[in-house]
Structure formats: structure tokens, C-alpha cells
DNA sequence: AAAAGAAGTTGACGCGCGTAAAGTTTCTAA
DNA sequence: TTAGAAACTTTACGCGCGTCAACTTCTTTT
């Protein structure tokens, strides 16, 4: 390209010898013009370095080409990884992803949704904060914008949901732990940040009861999204005061488990499935770092790829179908047991 | 708000009894109108739920209210944490941050820059991929858009840079390790992803030589951004084949060190600064997870807050000053030694 | 080769807001 | 109180592109 800056489509029409409406069609969908025309346009494009003004483009469109991705806490590598998957799939599908993190703040989540609405996105993939979310606001949003909720289900919310089957995964984990050693305690934060934790606790209880074991739940203090630190502090206290009734601890998620591993290490307790260890520890989610803890963490894998694929598949259906209300069903994926050295 | 949807500013002008140009001023800067007028507008705003069309707004502005934040790999919690800091500070300063990750892909980095340019951002905070970046492209971009580079310096690039002083931090780390035990080996990836690593190696060598020690560099194979895995695999091999000439290993960054810790654990080697341990391991960056490794990782802290603050401070200067070319100096922060149990 | 259909051209209007000019009202200060 | 400044209103045009209607040119079909 010559670097000649072309101011607008009109000017580019002059230079390329193509009429402006045809150019408009081309930029909306390159396949919609004749091959010979497309060639001429692209030849001119290579020469003159013109890009249509996106603001003017979007002003008159009912929806843009953008897909919003909203996660509750991006500094959590779990969400970073999911976001990465979603982004790449959006791009592959010809959309422009826009990424937002609520940073654990419900007010920010509301703001993000508001600003997103005014950006007329084609659709939105939303992992809500959960318990702290402003449900009315989210409901209103989903009514206006094609939205797929993922990771964290909000009860009675009409839109589609993609996530994992906590009941299945916890049962699997409990069964595995019971078969390979003593029945586990369940470790969770006193204040649950999202409904997944509640479902996991319930699933834990029923899985334990089904095996004829007494469920035992250990709750630790701490609020916010610094799960590792909460797991560490709570774990130190719990180990020191002997709050665990089993040598096997099942944590409500991997980040808590990572903190607990650290607490065990600092308490001079060994962790692992061997004979001479003090504790076994398991988590849930297959957090990107769980492979590298010492010992590596036994957990249940959420299949990031499948969840991403399915979320987008449903979203595209929503976008392309007029009657949005019809698709409101949940789609739950089974977790896969990832046995590692910790349990 | 009644939920009455107002289509445009003209209609809102009718309903509120304020002229459209005044409303336009208000939305551009609420402080620019008289108190009584602002009150009337905000009263109407509460009643009618109107938001100006951002596309129409931005079409006629030379620059928008947006600040682009581009990082090389968002699934790396280090960048997630920096991005979080930057985002929150942008919001506090009245800007709208837009977050992008190149996902380790130079082509995507170029695309992001291109699409960013057409969005007329007020400014951009860019942590380039480094070695793999398309330098010409970035240079062209920085010439058009006020840009502050951070984390990874690109040599001879004209724009401002904020980062950390690798020479200082490595010297500090080497001194600490030598005082408290044997002089360290330096562990790095054979293929450096960014210039920081090179600078750290050089700083390591000169710090060692200054103390009269023989520098020893261990390079491990592996490409890409999966540093932990590379550290793990490379570490396993290195331990097995006895490639280390010291019991103290200084890694070029924390993620590599986390992998190496895992390799040591799997090789039944103990790590720590105690008498009876096999190895001491240290990293660099104070990665969010380094506090929770077993043992906790000794490292050098990059002060996320200061780097974010300074980056934005310089960016705002760039935005508000006409002659951009003048501000081209580096701003380097000292690291802070974080001694933990691993070394 | 003629007719039908697809694709392109010309011309024109509208989107919602920025912004300038000219006139009017309201505030500020002496 | 009153002049002057500041803020507001009215009017009008422009931004760059979407899109429609009517017409022309090119491609395809039998």
C-alpha cells in the first residue's frame, strides 16, 4: 500500500472505480459481490489502505459484529483460559470479541452490561459474578441482547446456560476418593461467591450419603476472590486446630485447594496418595496451575474447549433465530476425573 | 426511570426542556454546564433513561474516550494482574479501558493494533510480545496513536516505556543468593520470548562476575508461552542428567521457577533454604501464585501498582500534550526482593 | 441470439450527534 | 442597578456510511 490515506468510502469509490453502494456491500460481506468486482476492490484496497469508519458503519446497523465476553474475575487463570478459548473461536467465526472483567465487583458488572448494551453487540457470553450479581439488571439485559450464560447459573434466569454438571463431577470425585482411601471432608468458604459452590456441597453430601458415609463440611472464613489466600489462612487454622475429621479433603475448587496445599506444606504435613502421607487433597476445575502444584492436584476437569464451543454454538443460534425466548435450556457437561499425585 | 425509551438527543431535548447543543456539552463533560442546568438534565435523565448513541458520538470526535490495553498473553496471571490494575485506574480517571490479548500470536497482535487504530482511542498501553512482534507495525502505530509501552522494551522504539530495572533486580537477587548460600546457576528458555530475559541473563552474568563467581547458564528447550510446562519438562531432564553445577537455581521468571519446583518435587528433591535441602530455587516477577507454591518462591517483586500508575501518568501526558515526540524516555522501577522459603 | 436474472451504477435521503454562528437569557460583579 | 460575561437557545450544516429506488450493464440460460 502506498500509505495514501483515503478519507471516506466516497473517495475510495472514485479511486477504485467502484460505486459506493457496491463497496458498502463488499465491506458488509465480501462474498456478496461478483468475483471480478471483488478482485478489483481488493486490488485497490492493497494500493490505497482504506478502512471504513467503524463508527459510521455501526451507527446505522441494528447490531454490530462484536461479541461481548464478560467474566467475573479475569485475574483468575480459570477465566483467563476460558476467555482465551472464547475469543479465538469468535475470531474464527468472523466476529470481534470484546473482553470485560467485573473484577469481582457487582457495580462494575452492571456498568459493563450497560455500556455493552449501548454497543449493540451481536451477542454476549456472560459468566456472572453469581451471588453478588444484580439479577434484575442481568435479566433485563438478557431480554434485550442475545446472551448465553456460562459457568455460573443464575436461578430462574430465562436465557441459555452452558456449564458443567456439578452433581456428576462431585459424585465421581467422592466415589474415587472413597474407593482409594478414607471418605473426604468438604472444604468451602463460608460465603459462597457463586451457586456452583452450593451445588457442589449438595452433591458432596448426597454422594457421601449414597455410599453410607457421614458428610463433613468444613467452612473457612474469608471473602472476595483471593481464594488461594483464603485457603492458605483457613487451612493453617484448620490444621492447627484439628478441624478435619478425615485425612482426605475435597475442596470446592482448585484455587482453594492450592491454598490448602500451601497450608499443609507450611504445617509440615505431607500430602499425597502414598502410604506415609498425612493428607490427601483434591480440588475441582482443573485450574491451569493444578498440574504444577507439589504434589500435582487431583481434580475434575472442566472441558474448556467443549464449553466454549457449545456456548458459542448456542449463541449463534440465538443470534440467527428471531424468537429468542425459545432457547432457554441448560447444557451441562460432564467433568473428567484427573487423578494426580495429591489424592 | 420509567423505562420510556428515548430514541435520540433531539427527543430527549424536547422531553427535558434543554436544547440539544447544551445536552451535547453536558454529555461531553457534565461540569461544563451550569449547576441548575445539570440538575434539570439529571432529573430528566433519571426519568427517561436515555443514553447517547456512542457510535454517532465517536464518529465526529477526533479521538474517543477509550484507552486500549494490549498484553501479550492474558492467561498469564502476571499480565492479568497488570491489566486489572490498569483497567481500574483508567476507569478512575474517567476513561473506558478496552482489553486485548495477543494470545502469544504476532499476527493477532498486528490485527489488534489495526482494529485499535480505527477505533480512535485516546491512548494505548501496550506490552508487546517482544521478540516476535512486528516492529515496523508497532512503530507505525505508535506514531499515530499516543502509546506507552510497558513490561517489554522494544529497542530503538521512539515511544515512552515503563518497566522494571532488570539489571538492578538481578544484581540484588544474585547478591542475596550468594550471601545466603552458593552462587546460583541461571535457568532460561533457549528461545527468549522477550528482551527482558536477555537483559536478565546479562545482568546475572555481570553480577556474578562482580562477585568473582563463575556464571553458569542452563538453557532448556521449549517454545511458546507455556512456561510452567517448559520449566517442568526441562527441569526433569536437567535434574536427571545433572546439568546444574550449583544447588541454587535462579530462573529467568517465576513461571519457569514454578515448573522447576514441580520438577524438583517429582524428582524427590527437596527445595528450600534449610540445611538439609537439595536445592534452592528463585524466580523473578512476584507472580500472583508464587506466594502459594511449596515452598513459597523467593523472587523479585515488580510493583504492579507503581508501574500501572506511572504508565498511565505518562500516557495522560502524551494525550494532553501536542508534541508527542518529546516524551521518549524510559522509566524503570527498582524491584523489591521478596525472600521466601524456597531460597 | 434473445430474454431473464443477477450485479452494478447513480442519485438521494436518513441516522444521531458534533459544532459553529447568531441571537437571547441568566448570572456575576462593581 | 446595570454593564459585561457566561450560559443557553435556535438554526443549520456536516460527518461517513446504510440503504432504497430506478436505471443500466453484464452474465447466464434455453
Amino acid at each position: 500500500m502506498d500509505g495514501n490515506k483515503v478519507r471516506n468510502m466516497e473517495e475510495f469509490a472514485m479511486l477504485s472505480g467502484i460505486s459506493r453502494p457496491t463497496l458498502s456491500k463488499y465491506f458488509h460481506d465480501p462474498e456478496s459481490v461478483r468475483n471480478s468486482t471483488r478482485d478489483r476492490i481488493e486490488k485497490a484496497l492493497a494500493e490505497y489502505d482504506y478502512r471504513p469508519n467503524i463508527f459510521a458503519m455501526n451507527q446505522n446497523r441494528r447490531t454490530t459484529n462484536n461479541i461481548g465476553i464478560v467474566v467475573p474475575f479475569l485475574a483468575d487463570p480459570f477465566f483467563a483460559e476460558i476467555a482465551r478459548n472464547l475469543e479465538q473461536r469468535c475470531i474464527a467465526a468472523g466476529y470481534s470479541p470484546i473482553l470485560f472483567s467485573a473484577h469481582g465487583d457487582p457495580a462494575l458488572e452492571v456498568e459493563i452490561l450497560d455500556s455493552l448494551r449501548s454497543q449493540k453487540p451481536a451477542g454476549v457470553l456472560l459468566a456472572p459474578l453469581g451471588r453478588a450479581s444484580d439479577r434484575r439488571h442481568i435479566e433485563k439485559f438478557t431480554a434485550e441482547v442475545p446472551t448465553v450464560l456460562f459457568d455460573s447459573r443464575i436461578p430462574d434466569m430465562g436465557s441459555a446456560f452452558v456449564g458443567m454438571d456439578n452433581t456428576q463431577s462431585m459424585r465421581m470425585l467422592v466415589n474415587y476418593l472413597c474407593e482409594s482411601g478414607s471418605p473426604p471432608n468438604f472444604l468451602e468458604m463460608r460465603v459462597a461467591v457463586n451457586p456452583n459452590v452450593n451445588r457442589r456441597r449438595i452433591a458432596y453430601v448426597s454422594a457421601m450419603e449414597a455410599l453410607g458415609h457421614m458428610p463433613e463440611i468444613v467452612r473457612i472464613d474469608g471473602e472476595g476472590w483471593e481464594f488461594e489466600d483464603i485457603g492458605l489462612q483457613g487451612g493453617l487454622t484448620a490444621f492447627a486446630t484439628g478441624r478435619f475429621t478425615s485425612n482426605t479433603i475435597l475442596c470446592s475448587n482448585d484455587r482453594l485447594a492450592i491454598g490448602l496445599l500451601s497450608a499443609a506444606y507450611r504445617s509440615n504435613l505431607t500430602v499425597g496418595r502414598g502410604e506415609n502421607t498425612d493428607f490427601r487433597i483434591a480440588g475441582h476445575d482443573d485450574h491451569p496451575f493444578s498440574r504444577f502444584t507439589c504434589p500435582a492436584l487431583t481434580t475434575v476437569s472442566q472441558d474448556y474447549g467443549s464449553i466454549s464451543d457449545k456456548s458459542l454454538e448456542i449463541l449463534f443460534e440465538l443470534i440467527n433465530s428471531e424468537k429468542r425466548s425459545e432457547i432457554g435450556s441448560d447444557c451441562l457437561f460432564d467433568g473428567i476425573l484427573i487423578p494426580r499425585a495429591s489424592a
Side-chain angles (χ1 to χ4, degrees), chain A residues 153-335:
Chain A
R153 181 95 174 91
I154 297 193
D156 306 321
M157 189 68 78
S159 37
F161 174 74
V162 176
M164 73 176 312
D165 185 344
N166 289 296
T167 308
Q168 176 270 340
S169 61
M170 287 304 284
R171 185 163 11 90
M172 184 168 62
L173 212 36
V174 168
N175 288 348
Y176 166 78
L177 292 173
C178 290
E179 277 170 26
S180 55
S182 11
N185 285 182
F186 182 75
L187 182 77
E188 66 173 355
M189 289 164 59
R190 193 174 304 283
V191 187
V193 289
N194 73 31
N196 281 330
V197 177
N198 293 327
R199 256 183 235 104
R200 286 175 196 172
R201 186 196 330 101
I202 293 168
Y204 160 78
V205 170
S206 74
M208 287 287 280
E209 285 171 348
L211 294 176
H213 298 304
M214 183 71 183
E216 180 71 32
I217 294 163
V218 178
R219 290 199 173 86
I220 55 180
D221 290 328
E223 251 179 302
W225 287 78
E226 306 286 326
F227 301 167
E228 293 86 4
D229 198 42
I230 292 167
L232 169 58
Q233 304 302 339
L236 287 173
T237 313
F239 285 129
T241 59
R243 285 184 62 196
F244 296 118
T245 62
S246 164
N247 75 342
T248 303
I249 320 293
L250 173 50
C251 301
S252 62
N253 66 61
D254 277 6
R255 293 180 62 198
L256 218 50
I258 289 170
L260 187 65
L261 281 173
S262 192
Y265 183 89
R266 292 176 197 211
S267 307
N268 282 314
L269 298 165
T270 55
V271 175
R273 50 180 159 185
E275 293 297 305
N276 305 320
T277 58
D278 298 314
F279 278 94
R280 297 192 304 160
I281 293 178
H284 192 293
D285 289 346
D286 197 20
H287 189 285
F289 275 43
S290 298
R291 284 175 56 207
F292 304 103
T293 54
C294 303
L297 186 64
T298 292
T299 186
V300 170
S301 154
Q302 299 210 31
D303 183 348
Y304 298 77
S306 298
I307 290 182
S308 303
D309 280 339
K310 189 68 185 177
S311 300
L312 277 173
E313 187 191 309
I314 295 183
L315 185 61
F316 294 153
E317 265 180 58
L318 271 174
I319 291 172
N320 295 323
S321 77
E322 297 311 305
K323 28 186 170 180
R324 287 172 192 168
S325 51
E326 225 159 273
I327 312 172
S329 59
D330 289 11
C331 176
L332 298 182
F333 282 92
D334 279 3

Side-chain angles (χ1 to χ4, degrees), chain A residues 4-61:
Chain A
N4 305 332
K5 285 177 195 161
V6 181
R7 331 181 72 174
N8 54 32
M9 205 181 272
E10 186 111 35
E11 193 174 321
F12 185 65
M14 306 280 338
L15 293 167
S16 63
I18 307 279
S19 72
R20 203 173 63 72
T22 302
L23 288 175
S24 181
K25 268 186 74 180
Y26 169 84
F27 285 115
H28 184 48
D29 174 16
E31 301 297 315
S32 67
V33 301
R34 210 183 285 149
N35 288 11
S36 56
T37 312
R38 184 163 54 250
D39 289 346
R40 287 170 61 203
I41 294 176
E42 280 164 5
K43 204 180 132 204
L45 224 38
E47 190 176 355
Y48 291 108
D49 180 28
Y50 161 75
R51 297 191 64 166
N53 179 315
I54 49 166
F55 299 109
M57 282 184 66
N58 290 332
Q59 179 175 9
N60 299 320
R61 274 207 209 306

